[in-house]
């Protein structure tokens, strides 16, 4: 069984400030972890993924995330927020290997203020 | 690469009618596609897993006779909402798994907004 907890349904940051979106997971098997971004009325776009290689994963648009097994966390960060980063962000987990389903967190709405 | 399309992007239908939504992987073959439902300001809930050439696997609580899924080819899966009612109004998103990527990640379509009046 797998689950994802995203702390904070809404996060607000100033433009240029650090972005930190929290994700903790629970998995009975070694996990794959993903961060997706969703803009209004659109599907999901993959930001980055952890697939048991490097624990620090770099993604698109300047985002990165670090897999910490001891903390069962996969927090998403970006050093400097841009207005265009305002969107809904979803963390997701699946078991390693084929055929495994994605389980999504409840999402975090990121607001970027001037 | 790894583009997934959905058609239509939005549809309005009357209560009692059926609506078909198509999901296509445009530049890769997808033996597995997934159908999700998303209510406003909520997360994605997996409805079913669609496997090419076999019956779909539905999640608990999803009526398989109401949400008919057909995965006729390696690039096309369809979701038919039969006898739609207003409570079926939602945002439906499909995804396709690219088995060649090695990480089994899913690529998502842009979604279909269904409104039942």
């Amino acid at each position: 069984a797998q689950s994802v907890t995203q702390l904070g349904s809404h996060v607000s940051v100033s433009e240029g400030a650090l972005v930190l979106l929290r994700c903790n997971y629970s998995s009975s098997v070694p996990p794959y972890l993903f961060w997706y971004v969703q803009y209004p009325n659109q599907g999901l776009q993959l930001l980055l993924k952890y697939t048991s290689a490097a624990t620090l994963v770099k993604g698109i648009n300047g985002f990165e995330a670090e897999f910490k097994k001891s903390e069962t966390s996969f927090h998403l960060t970006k050093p400097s927020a841009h207005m265009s980063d305002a969107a809904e962000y979803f963390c997701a987990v699946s078991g390693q290997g084929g055929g495994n389903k994605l389980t999504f967190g409840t999402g975090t709405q990121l607001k970027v203020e001037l | 690469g790894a583009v997934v399309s959905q058609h239509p992007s939005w549809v309005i239908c009357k209560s009692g009618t059926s609506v078909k939504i198509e999901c296509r992987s445009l530049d890769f073959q997808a033996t597995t596609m997934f159908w999700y439902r998303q209510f406003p300001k909520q997360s994605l809930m997996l409805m079913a897993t669609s496997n090419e050439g076999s019956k779909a696997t539905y999640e608990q609580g999803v009526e398989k006779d109401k949400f008919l899924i057909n995965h006729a080819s390696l690039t096309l899966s369809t979701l038919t909402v039969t006898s739609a009612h207003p409570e079926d109004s939602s945002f439906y998103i499909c995804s396709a798994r690219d088995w060649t990527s090695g990480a089994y990640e899913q690529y998502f379509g842009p979604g279909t907004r269904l409104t039942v009046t």
Side-chain angles (χ1 to χ4, degrees), chain A residues 87-110:
Chain A
E88 186 85 19
Y89 291 81
F90 292 97
C91 182
V93 63
S94 75
Q96 292 185 9
N100 289 298
K101 300 177 291 188
L102 276 176
T103 300
F104 285 88
T106 51
T108 298
Q109 182 71 47
L110 175 65

Side-chain angles (χ1 to χ4, degrees), chain B residues 30-92:
Chain B
T31 54
T32 303
M33 290 183 173
F34 302 86
W35 287 96
Y36 296 85
R37 185 173 180 177
Q38 185 180 32
F39 290 105
K41 300 192 182 300
Q42 294 188 27
S43 189
L44 281 73
M45 299 301 296
L46 180 65
M47 299 174 66
T49 302
S50 168
N51 295 295
E52 188 267 336
S54 64
K55 290 183 179 180
T57 302
Y58 291 82
E59 295 300 299
Q60 191 172 10
V62 176
E63 298 176 62
K64 57 183 178 182
D65 293 332
K66 181 170 186 61
F67 298 100
L68 301 179
I69 291 172
N70 183 275
H71 196 152
S73 75
L74 286 172
T75 59
L76 174 64
S77 175
T78 60
L79 168 68
T80 300
V81 183
T82 62
S83 187
H85 289 98
E87 57 265 30
D88 298 325
S89 299
S90 189
F91 194 52
Y92 293 88

Side-chain angles (χ1 to χ4, degrees), chain A residues 32 34 36 38 41-46 49 51 90 94 96-102 104-107 109, chain B residues 34 36 38 41-44 46 49 59 91 93 97 99 101-111 113:
Chain A
Y32 284 168
F34 306 84
Y36 288 89
Q38 184 181 35
N41 295 311
Q42 295 186 27
L44 275 68
Q45 180 183 10
L46 180 68
K49 61 188 178 188
T51 57
F90 292 97
S94 75
Q96 292 185 9
N100 289 298
K101 300 177 291 188
L102 276 176
F104 285 88
T106 51
Q109 182 71 47
Chain B
F34 302 86
Y36 296 85
Q38 185 180 32
K41 300 192 182 300
Q42 294 188 27
S43 189
L44 281 73
L46 180 65
T49 302
E59 295 300 299
F91 194 52
I93 304 175
R97 175 163 278 158
W99 291 94
S101 72
Y104 309 105
E105 64 188 86
Q106 295 180 26
Y107 296 95
F108 286 80
R113 174 75 59 191

Side-chain angles (χ1 to χ4, degrees), chain A residues 11 19-23 35 63 74-77 89 108 110:
Chain A
V11 170
V19 175
L20 171 61
L21 305 183
R22 299 179 185 276
C23 172
W35 274 100
F63 285 95
F74 190 58
H75 301 329
L76 181 71
T77 61
Y89 291 81
T108 298
L110 175 65

